[in-house]
Amino acid sequence: MTTTDPCTDPSARSTEVEAPSLVGPRYTLRAITPEFHRPLYELTMSRAVNFRWRYHGAIPPYEVFERALHTNVLAQFVVVLTRSPKTVIGQVAAYDGNLQDGTAWLAVAADPRAGAGVLEAAMLFIRYLFAHYPLRKLYVDTPSFNLPQFASAAAEGLLVEEGRLRDHQYFDNRYWDRIIYALYQDKARSFWERFMHAFPSVPASVTGNEDPEATLGDLRTADPGAATGALL
Protein backbone atom coordinates (compact mmCIF):
# COMPACT_ATOMS: atom_id res chain seq x y z
CA MET A 1 0.00 0.00 0.00
CA THR A 2 1.37 3.37 -0.97
CA THR A 3 0.47 6.71 0.49
CA THR A 4 0.99 10.22 -0.74
CA ASP A 5 2.30 13.11 1.31
CA PRO A 6 0.20 16.26 0.81
CA CYS A 7 3.20 18.37 1.73
CA THR A 8 5.26 17.06 -1.22
CA ASP A 9 2.62 15.78 -3.66
CA PRO A 10 0.41 18.62 -4.98
CA SER A 11 -2.16 16.10 -6.30
CA ALA A 12 -2.82 14.92 -2.72
CA ARG A 13 -3.71 18.37 -1.42
CA SER A 14 -7.31 19.31 -0.81
CA THR A 15 -8.96 21.45 -3.46
CA GLU A 16 -11.73 22.56 -1.13
CA VAL A 17 -10.92 26.22 -0.61
CA GLU A 18 -12.98 29.35 -0.17
CA ALA A 19 -12.34 33.06 0.06
CA PRO A 20 -12.45 34.67 3.51
CA SER A 21 -15.71 36.43 4.32
CA LEU A 22 -16.00 40.20 4.13
CA VAL A 23 -18.99 40.12 6.48
CA GLY A 24 -18.57 40.17 10.24
CA PRO A 25 -21.16 40.24 13.03
CA ARG A 26 -20.68 43.99 13.44
CA TYR A 27 -19.03 45.29 10.27
CA THR A 28 -19.04 44.51 6.56
CA LEU A 29 -16.50 45.47 3.89
CA ARG A 30 -18.03 46.70 0.64
CA ALA A 31 -16.57 47.86 -2.67
CA ILE A 32 -16.07 51.63 -2.88
CA THR A 33 -18.70 52.50 -5.47
CA PRO A 34 -19.55 56.15 -6.29
CA GLU A 35 -22.40 56.25 -3.76
CA PHE A 36 -19.80 55.99 -0.99
CA HIS A 37 -17.43 58.71 -2.26
CA ARG A 38 -19.16 61.62 -0.54
CA PRO A 39 -19.54 59.87 2.88
CA LEU A 40 -15.87 58.85 2.77
CA TYR A 41 -14.86 62.42 1.94
CA GLU A 42 -16.86 63.74 4.89
CA LEU A 43 -15.32 61.13 7.19
CA THR A 44 -11.76 61.79 5.97
CA MET A 45 -12.15 65.56 6.39
CA SER A 46 -13.84 65.34 9.78
CA ARG A 47 -12.16 66.97 12.75
CA ALA A 48 -11.61 63.64 14.50
CA VAL A 49 -9.94 61.90 11.53
CA ASN A 50 -8.35 64.45 9.21
CA PHE A 51 -5.23 65.27 11.24
CA ARG A 52 -4.48 61.61 11.99
CA TRP A 53 -3.90 60.17 8.51
CA ARG A 54 -3.42 60.76 4.79
CA TYR A 55 -4.02 64.51 4.44
CA HIS A 56 -2.67 65.51 7.88
CA GLY A 57 -4.86 68.58 8.21
CA ALA A 58 -5.08 69.58 4.54
CA ILE A 59 -8.59 69.96 3.08
CA PRO A 60 -8.52 69.15 -0.65
CA PRO A 61 -11.58 69.87 -2.81
CA TYR A 62 -13.97 66.96 -3.18
CA GLU A 63 -13.00 66.48 -6.83
CA VAL A 64 -9.31 66.13 -5.91
CA PHE A 65 -10.14 63.62 -3.17
CA GLU A 66 -12.28 61.59 -5.56
CA ARG A 67 -9.57 61.45 -8.26
CA ALA A 68 -6.95 60.34 -5.74
CA LEU A 69 -9.14 57.74 -4.03
CA HIS A 70 -7.63 54.76 -5.89
CA THR A 71 -4.10 56.09 -6.50
CA ASN A 72 -1.35 53.59 -5.54
CA VAL A 73 -3.96 51.35 -3.89
CA LEU A 74 -3.55 47.57 -3.91
CA ALA A 75 -6.99 46.92 -2.38
CA GLN A 76 -9.53 48.87 -0.35
CA PHE A 77 -13.09 48.76 0.97
CA VAL A 78 -15.61 50.98 2.67
CA VAL A 79 -16.62 49.77 6.13
CA VAL A 80 -20.36 49.72 6.87
CA LEU A 81 -22.53 48.43 9.68
CA THR A 82 -23.59 44.86 9.00
CA ARG A 83 -27.07 45.61 10.34
CA SER A 84 -27.31 48.92 8.47
CA PRO A 85 -25.33 48.41 5.23
CA LYS A 86 -25.63 52.01 4.02
CA THR A 87 -24.14 53.47 7.21
CA VAL A 88 -20.48 54.28 6.50
CA ILE A 89 -18.19 53.73 9.48
CA GLY A 90 -14.77 53.84 7.87
CA GLN A 91 -12.32 52.82 5.19
CA VAL A 92 -9.62 50.15 5.00
CA ALA A 93 -6.86 50.28 2.41
CA ALA A 94 -3.62 48.58 1.41
CA TYR A 95 -1.36 50.84 -0.63
CA ASP A 96 2.13 50.91 -2.15
CA GLY A 97 2.07 47.14 -2.49
CA ASN A 98 5.33 45.45 -3.45
CA LEU A 99 4.51 41.87 -4.41
CA GLN A 100 8.16 41.09 -5.20
CA ASP A 101 9.07 41.77 -1.57
CA GLY A 102 5.72 40.60 -0.21
CA THR A 103 4.83 43.84 1.56
CA ALA A 104 2.15 46.53 1.54
CA TRP A 105 1.14 49.43 3.76
CA LEU A 106 -2.06 49.22 5.79
CA ALA A 107 -4.39 52.12 6.62
CA VAL A 108 -7.65 52.14 8.57
CA ALA A 109 -9.82 55.19 9.20
CA ALA A 110 -12.99 54.99 11.26
CA ASP A 111 -15.73 57.05 12.84
CA PRO A 112 -14.63 57.49 16.50
CA ARG A 113 -18.12 56.46 17.64
CA ALA A 114 -17.32 52.90 16.60
CA GLY A 115 -14.74 52.53 19.36
CA ALA A 116 -12.38 49.56 19.62
CA GLY A 117 -14.86 47.29 17.88
CA VAL A 118 -13.71 48.62 14.51
CA LEU A 119 -10.74 46.27 14.81
CA GLU A 120 -13.13 43.62 13.48
CA ALA A 121 -13.17 45.45 10.14
CA ALA A 122 -9.39 45.70 10.17
CA MET A 123 -9.02 41.97 10.81
CA LEU A 124 -11.51 41.10 8.04
CA PHE A 125 -9.39 43.16 5.67
CA ILE A 126 -6.09 41.71 6.86
CA ARG A 127 -7.39 38.17 6.33
CA TYR A 128 -8.54 39.18 2.85
CA LEU A 129 -5.11 40.60 1.97
CA PHE A 130 -3.13 37.58 3.14
CA ALA A 131 -5.53 35.22 1.33
CA HIS A 132 -5.48 37.01 -2.03
CA TYR A 133 -1.94 38.40 -2.29
CA PRO A 134 1.50 36.85 -1.66
CA LEU A 135 2.23 39.16 1.27
CA ARG A 136 4.58 38.35 4.14
CA LYS A 137 3.80 41.38 6.26
CA LEU A 138 1.92 44.66 6.33
CA TYR A 139 3.40 47.96 7.44
CA VAL A 140 1.58 50.58 9.52
CA ASP A 141 2.96 54.12 9.45
CA THR A 142 1.75 56.45 12.23
CA PRO A 143 2.73 59.56 14.17
CA SER A 144 3.32 58.98 17.87
CA PHE A 145 0.25 60.95 18.94
CA ASN A 146 -1.75 57.99 17.58
CA LEU A 147 0.00 55.55 19.92
CA PRO A 148 -2.93 55.12 22.34
CA GLN A 149 -4.83 53.54 19.44
CA PHE A 150 -2.00 51.03 18.88
CA ALA A 151 -0.88 50.33 22.44
CA SER A 152 -2.91 47.14 22.94
CA ALA A 153 -1.97 45.78 19.52
CA ALA A 154 1.71 46.28 20.29
CA ALA A 155 1.33 44.76 23.76
CA GLU A 156 -0.37 41.69 22.26
CA GLY A 157 2.55 41.25 19.86
CA LEU A 158 0.33 41.79 16.83
CA LEU A 159 2.30 44.87 15.82
CA VAL A 160 6.08 44.98 15.95
CA GLU A 161 7.93 48.30 15.85
CA GLU A 162 10.49 48.19 13.03
CA GLY A 163 11.42 51.84 12.60
CA ARG A 164 11.15 55.26 14.19
CA LEU A 165 11.88 58.73 12.81
CA ARG A 166 12.56 61.04 15.74
CA ASP A 167 10.75 64.40 15.92
CA HIS A 168 9.58 63.93 12.35
CA GLN A 169 6.01 65.23 12.06
CA TYR A 170 4.72 68.62 13.14
CA PHE A 171 1.33 68.98 14.85
CA ASP A 172 -0.07 71.26 17.54
CA ASN A 173 3.08 73.29 18.22
CA ARG A 174 5.50 70.38 18.56
CA TYR A 175 7.24 67.61 16.59
CA TRP A 176 6.25 63.97 16.98
CA ASP A 177 8.04 60.71 16.20
CA ARG A 178 6.87 58.79 13.17
CA ILE A 179 6.71 55.07 13.85
CA ILE A 180 6.63 52.11 11.46
CA TYR A 181 5.03 48.93 12.72
CA ALA A 182 4.96 45.56 10.96
CA LEU A 183 2.15 43.03 11.10
CA TYR A 184 3.30 39.53 10.13
CA GLN A 185 1.07 36.96 8.47
CA ASP A 186 1.59 34.25 11.11
CA LYS A 187 0.74 36.70 13.92
CA ALA A 188 -2.46 37.73 12.16
CA ARG A 189 -3.57 34.14 11.59
CA SER A 190 -3.05 33.08 15.20
CA PHE A 191 -4.81 36.19 16.49
CA TRP A 192 -7.98 35.91 14.40
CA GLU A 193 -9.99 33.27 16.24
CA ARG A 194 -9.17 34.68 19.66
CA PHE A 195 -10.24 38.12 18.53
CA MET A 196 -13.57 36.96 17.11
CA HIS A 197 -14.62 35.78 20.59
CA ALA A 198 -13.44 38.91 22.39
CA PHE A 199 -16.51 41.09 21.88
CA PRO A 200 -20.16 40.55 22.85
CA SER A 201 -22.18 38.83 20.14
CA VAL A 202 -24.14 41.06 17.78
CA PRO A 203 -26.67 39.37 15.46
CA ALA A 204 -25.40 39.39 11.90
CA SER A 205 -28.80 39.58 10.17
CA VAL A 206 -29.04 42.43 7.70
CA THR A 207 -32.37 44.12 7.20
CA GLY A 208 -31.20 47.65 6.51
CA ASN A 209 -33.85 48.99 8.90
CA GLU A 210 -31.93 49.06 12.19
CA ASP A 211 -31.17 52.36 13.89
CA PRO A 212 -27.47 53.13 13.17
CA GLU A 213 -27.10 55.13 16.37
CA ALA A 214 -28.48 52.25 18.45
CA THR A 215 -26.10 49.84 16.73
CA LEU A 216 -23.12 52.13 17.34
CA GLY A 217 -24.17 52.27 20.97
CA ASP A 218 -23.99 48.47 21.13
CA LEU A 219 -20.51 48.50 19.64
CA ARG A 220 -19.20 51.20 21.96
CA THR A 221 -19.98 48.95 24.94
CA ALA A 222 -17.48 46.33 23.72
CA ASP A 223 -14.51 46.00 26.06
CA PRO A 224 -11.45 47.35 24.20
CA GLY A 225 -9.19 45.65 26.71
CA ALA A 226 -10.40 42.25 25.53
CA ALA A 227 -8.60 42.64 22.22
CA THR A 228 -6.36 45.19 20.60
CA GLY A 229 -7.10 48.85 19.99
CA ALA A 230 -8.41 50.15 16.69
CA LEU A 231 -5.84 50.54 13.95
CA LEU A 232 -6.27 54.16 12.85
Side-chain angles (χ1 to χ4, degrees):
M1 178 178 178
T2 60
T3 60
T4 56
D5 183 351
C7 294
T8 58
D9 184 356
S11 66
R13 298 174 187 170
S14 172
T15 57
E16 296 180 3
V17 297
E18 61 181 9
S21 176
L22 299 180
V23 179
R26 306 158 190 83
Y27 297 104
T28 292
L29 308 185
R30 297 185 62 183
I32 300 180
T33 52
E35 67 182 296
F36 292 120
H37 290 184
R38 179 64 68 174
L40 285 176
Y41 177 76
E42 293 174 356
L43 174 68
T44 302
M45 302 306 151
S46 67
R47 179 183 177 187
V49 174
N50 180 249
F51 74 99
R52 293 188 182 277
W53 84 312
R54 193 169 186 179
Y55 290 102
H56 303 297
I59 309 292
Y62 173 70
E63 294 75 16
V64 173
F65 168 85
E66 194 172 35
R67 286 198 301 270
L69 192 55
H70 298 282
T71 301
N72 295 328
V73 171
L74 178 66
Q76 65 179 341
F77 296 96
V78 61
V79 181
V80 300
L81 292 176
T82 297
R83 298 193 304 188
S84 182
K86 292 186 178 181
T87 301
V88 173
I89 293 301
Q91 178 184 356
V92 290
Y95 61 98
D96 288 347
N98 185 325
L99 300 186
Q100 179 176 348
D101 294 339
T103 63
W105 294 79
L106 175 68
V108 180
D111 186 322
R113 296 175 299 168
V118 77
L119 182 56
E120 178 190 291
M123 292 305 298
L124 286 170
F125 185 52
I126 290 166
R127 289 181 74 226
Y128 168 88
L129 290 173
F130 284 134
H132 288 275
Y133 300 95
L135 297 170
R136 298 179 297 114
K137 59 181 176 177
L138 300 171
Y139 289 119
V140 178
D141 178 13
T142 185
S144 54
F145 56 74
N146 279 341
L147 283 183
Q149 299 168 327
F150 291 86
S152 298
E156 290 275 352
L158 184 62
L159 294 177
V160 179
E161 183 176 326
E162 295 201 340
R164 181 182 291 253
L165 301 176
R166 301 287 182 181
D167 299 328
H168 180 75
Q169 182 169 329
Y170 180 83
F171 176 70
D172 196 23
N173 202 36
R174 61 165 287 188
Y175 288 91
W176 302 80
D177 291 355
R178 192 156 193 88
I179 304 168
I180 297 173
Y181 288 107
L183 190 158
Y184 287 82
Q185 186 185 74
D186 58 343
K187 297 281 189 181
R189 288 183 185 278
S190 63
F191 180 78
W192 172 253
E193 287 193 11
R194 180 161 56 91
F195 168 78
M196 287 304 292
H197 294 90
F199 290 98
S201 177
V202 178
S205 61
V206 178
T207 69
N209 298 320
E210 288 81 356
D211 178 6
E213 288 299 325
T215 302
L216 282 168
D218 293 340
L219 299 177
R220 283 194 296 269
T221 63
D223 176 13
T228 67
L231 302 178
L232 294 175

